């Protein structure tokens, strides 16, 4: 019967860890991330859910003869902000999976 006590303890630990993980994930979702390209000509803002919440484009970068450059700046800023979210998510959530072999968890 001693093994059952250890199992109960382990279940409590898992539940505690799950609550911490959920809290950390909620906090991540509430965070705001920002990235810019072209020396601040294009700025993209997103939340931790990877939802783009704002795009700011400086008027002087809008050139009808060079739409490709504007598109490149938007892509660069968007990819940068999404990478920031991924990095923060991996740093934050990775603390819960240290030492566990759980590929693809986050």
């Amino acid at each position: 019967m001693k093994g059952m006590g250890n199992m109960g303890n382990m279940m409590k630990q898992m539940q505690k860890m799950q609550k911490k993980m959920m809290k950390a994930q909620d906090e991540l979702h509430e965070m705001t991330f920002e990235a810019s390209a072209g020396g601040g000509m294009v700025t993209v803002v997103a939340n931790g859910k990877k939802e783009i919440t704002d795009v700011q484009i400086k008027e002087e970068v809008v050139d009808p003869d060079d739409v490709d450059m504007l598109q490149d700046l938007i892509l660069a800023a968007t990819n940068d902000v999404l990478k920031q979210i991924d990095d923060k998510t991996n740093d934050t959530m990775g603390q819960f999976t240290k030492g566990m072999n759980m590929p693809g968890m986050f």
Side-chain angles (χ1 to χ4, degrees):
M1 282 296 196
K2 186 176 183 184
M4 294 304 267
N6 287 341
M7 182 64 88
N9 237 0
M10 194 163 94
M11 292 300 286
K12 285 181 185 177
Q13 293 280 353
M14 293 291 281
Q15 288 173 340
K16 197 177 198 179
M17 185 172 81
Q18 185 178 18
K19 283 182 183 178
K20 285 182 180 179
M21 285 175 64
M22 290 174 69
K23 184 176 188 252
Q25 191 170 29
D26 288 343
E27 288 172 358
L28 275 168
H29 287 172
E30 296 298 318
M31 294 178 99
T32 300
F33 298 84
E34 183 177 304
S36 61
M41 290 295 181
V42 172
T43 301
V44 175
V45 180
N47 62 30
K49 295 178 188 177
K50 292 187 174 182
E51 297 169 337
I52 304 301
T53 59
D54 192 24
V55 176
Q56 300 167 11
I57 300 171
K58 298 263 173 123
E59 191 174 313
E60 56 267 26
V61 79
V62 179
D63 180 356
D65 296 327
D66 196 3
V67 174
D68 288 340
M69 181 187 69
L70 179 57
Q71 291 170 336
D72 289 344
L73 292 174
I74 293 169
L75 282 174
T78 302
N79 287 330
D80 186 17
V81 81
L82 293 175
K83 184 179 180 328
Q84 287 179 35
I85 296 167
D86 284 342
D87 290 348
K88 183 64 174 176
T89 299
N90 289 336
D91 287 348
T92 301
M93 301 310 284
Q95 67 183 326
F96 298 107
T97 58
K98 282 183 186 159
M100 296 181 198
N101 188 9
M102 302 171 84
M105 180 79 173
F106 297 103

